[in-house]
Structures are given as structure tokens and as C-alpha cells.
Amino acid sequence: MSKQDLREPSVPYTRLPPNSNHQNVIVLPVYYYRPYDNFRSLRRCIALTAVLLLFSAAVFFLYPSDPSLELSRLQLNHVGVQTSPKLTLDLSFSLTIRVRNRDFFSLDYDKLVVSVGYRGRELGVVSSAGGRVRARGSSYVNATLDLDGLEVIHDVIYLLSDWAKGVIPFDTNTKVDGDLGLFLFNIPLKAKVACEVYVNTNEQKIVRRDCYANAKLRNMADSAPIYHLDQ
């Protein structure tokens, strides 16, 4: 037998037909669960929340607010009406104003002004010297308003009618302007309080007062009093 006869017989190769159901397969890398990744994310969320809370607290406590005024004491010294030879009014008040600083920085004010009026018309003004109120503190300012022989030109009929009834309503306005020392800046602040004071001319005393913070006298009817006093 020859060497050619020992060779394997050749087998014809036929290409396989394409498979119409062929699908693409994507091989993804193996993911290993790491518990410390979730812990790190949680720690970041807690840190961010803490920073936001600290920032909000700092803004809340350091943001400047206007001071508050309170008419802590109001005493009538005397009141009288003279009809001859002309209509004049004698009036004297002694009062104590409480200035409260609600901020964490000191408050400097130039002066404190108190005015007294009758039926919306100003009768007289008294002012006190300036001062300083420490942070989160209060200061008391005393003042005396004297009106002797003040000639009444307007509302004469109303004044005579109230005098005959024995009760005269007066208006008091107190205001203060100051600066808050915030680091290197001075922030202007102001406050005011308005009161309706009813005076008994026969007993020479105050029978009632209603006070309104940051309100004008003409708008008092639409506001609720912050405090009142009946005597």
C-alpha cells in the first residue's frame, strides 16, 4: 500500500447557515457588595445636614432685629383746663421707658423721643439723651413731660366736652433710633410704641392705657393692644 493510500480521505466542509435567532450577549463585570460604601454615603448626608442646621441657627441668632419698647411706668402729676382768659391746658406726665435689645450685639441709640397728643394732634415733645444697651439686655429711661399754659386752638369743643365728662383721652408716642454694632458694620434699627391714655380729671389719675407696638395712632383701631392697664 502506498503512502498516498494511507492518507485520510478528504471530507468536504460546508459553511453552516446563519442562525436567524442569534442574540448579542453583553458580559458585565462581577460586582462585589461593599458595606462600607453605604456607610460612607450616610456619613456624608449626616455631615451635610449638620452644616445646614448650624448655618440656619447662626442666621437665626445673629440676624439683627429691631429693639422693643415698653412703657413700663406712666404717672400723671397733674392735669387742668383753664377757660379764662383763653382756653389753656396744664398737663404733666412722669414716665419710664424700657428699651430691650434682643440681639447678641450691643445697641447704641442717639436719643429717645416721647410725644403727647390729643385726638391725633401733638401737644408736646420730650427727649432724653442717648445710651447703650448691652447684648440681650434692657435699659430703663426716665422722662418728665410738662405742659403748662398750653393754648388749645384745635378741638376746643371736644376738650371742653371731655373735661365736663371727667375723662380726657391722650395719645403718647415713643420712638428710638439706634445702630447695632455687628462686627465692622453699623446696622440702623428703630422701634416705637403708641399708647392711648385715659385720664380722670376729677381723681387726677390714669384710669386706662392701651399700648400698641410699631403702630400709628390713626391705625390703632385696627390693631390689638400688646398690653393695657386699668386703674
Side-chain angles (χ1 to χ4, degrees):
M1 182 178 293
S2 62
K3 294 182 179 180
Q4 186 176 4
D5 295 335
L6 294 175
R7 294 177 182 176
E8 295 180 358
S10 59
V11 178
Y13 174 77
T14 304
R15 183 184 298 272
L16 295 175
N19 189 2
S20 59
N21 296 327
H22 177 71
Q23 296 180 353
N24 295 326
V25 178
I26 300 176
V27 180
L28 297 178
V30 179
Y31 174 77
Y32 296 97
Y33 177 73
R34 298 178 180 179
Y36 63 87
D37 287 343
N38 292 337
F39 178 75
R40 184 169 54 184
S41 300
L42 179 61
R43 187 171 56 183
R44 289 178 180 176
C45 293
I46 294 176
L48 181 60
T49 304
V51 171
L52 292 177
L53 289 177
L54 289 176
F55 178 76
S56 301
V59 172
F60 176 78
F61 287 108
L62 298 181
Y63 189 81
S65 58
D66 290 331
S68 63
L69 292 180
E70 179 183 346
L71 188 60
S72 59
R73 183 182 68 90
L74 179 61
Q75 178 181 347
L76 176 67
N77 298 326
H78 68 269
V79 60
V81 174
Q82 306 295 330
T83 58
S84 178
K86 54 186 178 181
L87 184 64
T88 59
L89 175 66
D90 297 332
L91 180 64
S92 177
F93 282 117
S94 294
L95 46 90
T96 300
I97 306 297
R98 181 194 179 194
V99 184
R100 181 189 174 194
N101 181 16
R102 295 174 291 185
D103 296 315
F104 287 87
F105 301 90
S106 61
L107 171 68
D108 295 324
Y109 62 93
D110 298 329
K111 62 180 179 179
L112 189 144
V113 180
V114 181
S115 63
V116 175
Y118 175 72
R119 293 188 177 273
R121 297 183 183 274
E122 187 177 285
L123 300 177
V125 178
V126 61
S127 61
S128 64
R132 167 173 288 191
V133 184
R134 70 180 186 275
R136 307 291 293 179
S138 300
S139 178
Y140 292 87
V141 181
N142 297 317
T144 301
L145 177 63
D146 292 320
L147 301 176
D148 293 328
L150 177 66
E151 184 177 358
V152 179
I153 300 177
H154 304 281
D155 302 318
V156 175
I157 298 177
Y158 291 109
L159 180 59
L160 292 176
S161 176
D162 292 336
W163 177 261
K165 295 177 182 178
V167 177
I168 301 179
F170 291 102
D171 311 321
T172 65
N173 272 300
T174 305
K175 62 180 181 178
V176 61
D177 295 329
D179 295 323
L180 182 69
L182 182 60
F183 300 110
L184 299 178
F185 304 95
N186 290 327
I187 302 177
L189 300 176
K190 61 182 179 180
K192 59 183 176 181
V193 60
C195 298
E196 289 180 329
V197 182
Y198 297 87
V199 174
N200 189 312
T201 58
N202 298 322
E203 299 180 3
Q204 293 288 303
K205 70 176 185 179
I206 299 173
V207 293
R208 181 182 175 87
R209 78 177 185 212
D210 295 327
C211 295
Y212 306 79
N214 298 324
K216 295 182 179 180
L217 290 174
R218 63 174 176 269
N219 295 330
M220 279 186 174
D222 300 330
S223 305
I226 57 175
Y227 59 90
H228 69 271
L229 172 66
D230 294 318
Q231 294 181 343

